């Protein structure tokens, strides 16, 4: 018995850090979405377009779903029928982004400006352990408006989703840069 206790005393033990699964990312390839909505965009081949199935969904509301990452970019389209409606949509986008202030460590705004394609908007980067890390809206400022928000079906722990978030944000950049209004 004394021999066993001496052997166990000589082993140095140090706790190991918590491990996470290795994530293998697919090759970046894109395809064009150009269906019955008044806009088109490029999205990754490893994502799927799903119609929004919520009860209050309207035409051209959809999710760009990333099955391997349990994430989605929720898109909602609205026709702009007046200056008042336009102002309300812009204010709603701001309110929805800043709703995350309680958990966010910072919220940054960047202007989206592609006058050659008549695409304008704001991109909100939301830092910290929030439900959504990126939100945006795109408009032609007269007739059309699209709002987008990136969500993951995981608890908002930034340290564990950061690699996937960085990967998907590059896809979000391609989405915005390729976005076009029809007509």
């Amino acid at each position: 018995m004394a021999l066993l206790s001496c052997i166990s005393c000589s082993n140095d033990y140090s706790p190991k850090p918590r491990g996470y699964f290795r994530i293998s990312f697919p090759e970046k390839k894109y395809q064009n979405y150009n269906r019955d909505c008044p806009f088109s965009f490029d999205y990754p081949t490893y994502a799927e377009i799903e119609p929004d199935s919520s009860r209050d969904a309207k035409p051209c509301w959809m999710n760009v779903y990333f099955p391997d990452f349990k994430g989605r970019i929720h898109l909602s389209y609205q026709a702009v029928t007046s200056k008042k409606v336009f102002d309300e949509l812009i204010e709603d986008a701001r309110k929805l982004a800043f709703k995350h202030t309680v958990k966010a460590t910072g919220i940054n705004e960047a202007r989206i400006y592609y006058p050659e394609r008549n695409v304008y908007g704001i991109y909100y980067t939301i830092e910290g352990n929030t439900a959504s890390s990126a939100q945006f809206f795109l408009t032609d400022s007269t007739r059309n408006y699209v709002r987008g928000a990136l969500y993951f079906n995981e608890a908002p722990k930034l340290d564990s989703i950061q690699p996937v978030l960085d990967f998907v944000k590059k896809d979000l950049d391609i989405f915005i840069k390729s976005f076009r209004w029809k007509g």
Side-chain angles (χ1 to χ4, degrees):
M1 183 71 148
L3 183 61
L4 276 177
S5 63
C6 277
I7 292 172
S8 66
C9 292
S10 66
N11 289 342
D12 288 330
Y13 174 77
S14 60
K16 304 291 185 231
R18 186 176 187 155
Y20 295 98
F21 294 106
R22 180 178 176 175
I23 302 166
S24 37
F25 294 108
E27 182 183 347
K28 295 262 186 208
K29 290 183 184 176
Y30 297 91
Q31 58 195 331
N32 187 258
Y33 173 88
N34 191 4
R35 297 189 193 137
D36 296 334
C37 296
F39 52 82
S40 68
F41 57 85
D42 291 345
Y43 68 101
T45 56
Y46 43 86
E48 302 165 2
I49 302 291
E50 298 177 336
D52 186 332
S53 59
S54 64
R55 64 180 170 87
D56 58 343
K58 298 178 181 174
C60 296
W61 283 27
M62 66 190 77
N63 292 304
V64 179
Y65 178 61
F66 298 87
D68 292 342
F69 307 130
K70 297 180 185 173
R72 73 187 186 289
I73 302 168
H74 174 73
L75 301 172
S76 54
Y77 169 79
Q78 183 80 29
V80 175
T81 56
S82 69
K83 170 85 167 105
K84 182 181 182 234
V85 168
F86 179 75
D87 291 342
E88 288 171 357
L89 291 168
I90 302 302
E91 182 59 19
D92 284 348
R94 189 192 69 73
K95 282 181 184 176
L96 288 167
F98 280 87
K99 187 177 184 179
H100 297 278
T101 302
V102 175
K103 297 238 180 195
T105 57
I107 300 176
N108 300 309
E109 294 180 34
R111 186 172 76 156
I112 299 168
Y113 185 72
Y114 296 107
E116 69 281 0
R117 289 184 278 126
N118 207 21
V119 175
Y120 310 95
I122 302 284
Y123 184 93
Y124 299 96
T125 304
I126 305 167
E127 299 169 4
N129 293 323
T130 61
S132 177
S133 299
Q135 296 189 15
F136 63 92
F137 72 84
L138 303 170
T139 182
D140 60 5
S141 73
T142 56
R143 297 181 300 163
N144 299 292
Y145 170 93
V146 167
R147 181 180 173 279
L150 174 62
Y151 295 100
F152 290 98
N153 296 339
E154 296 291 330
K157 294 181 182 175
L158 192 58
D159 60 338
S160 61
I161 66 162
Q162 190 67 54
V164 173
L165 179 60
D166 293 342
F167 184 81
V168 173
K169 275 187 173 180
K170 290 176 185 170
D171 297 329
L172 191 54
D173 290 342
I174 296 293
F175 171 93
I176 292 170
K177 289 176 183 174
S178 68
F179 192 88
R180 301 224 178 337
W181 299 109
K182 295 179 183 175

